[in-house]
Amino acid sequence: MKALSLLILAMAAGPALASKDLAQQKNCMACHAVDKKLVGPSYKDVAAKYAGQKGADAKLVQKVLKGGSGTWGAVPMPANPQVTEAEAKALVQWVLTQK
């Protein structure tokens, strides 16, 4: 029973860890952190701002890919050509789960 519980816990943590790893690999963590503002907003702040908003995930995927400005202040977010659309979707899904 204990082994099954550990397996379930590991499986549940897997995608979250994979997405944080992806954020590090794609250099997102140079400007963002999970729980504090760096150059850009924290992922927790992004999740709170977009919580419950219809279409937020699609909007954020486009911001990851193409960049944006004005939402969080004067510093623009650059486009990220090194990130595929599938990777952007995975990153956004992970960001929106941060509490």
Side-chain angles (χ1 to χ4, degrees):
M1 184 70 171
K2 184 176 180 180
L4 179 60
S5 296
L6 290 174
L7 177 61
I8 291 170
L9 181 62
M11 288 173 57
L17 293 176
S19 293
K20 185 172 184 180
D21 288 344
L22 182 59
Q24 290 171 331
Q25 291 169 6
K26 297 300 176 174
N27 210 29
C28 305
M29 304 301 269
C31 295
H32 299 278
V34 172
D35 59 356
K36 63 183 174 189
K37 180 183 183 336
L38 296 178
V39 175
S42 74
Y43 291 139
K44 288 182 179 185
D45 288 343
V46 173
K49 181 178 185 91
Y50 291 97
Q53 288 189 26
K54 186 175 182 175
D57 52 345
K59 179 180 181 177
L60 291 172
V61 165
Q62 290 307 305
K63 283 195 176 219
V64 168
L65 295 173
K66 297 177 182 177
S69 64
T71 304
W72 297 94
V75 178
M77 179 172 159
N80 292 283
Q82 77 281 10
V83 178
T84 68
E85 187 167 348
E87 291 168 335
K89 286 179 182 178
L91 288 164
V92 166
Q93 287 174 351
W94 173 71
V95 167
L96 291 176
T97 66
Q98 301 308 298
K99 305 245 184 264

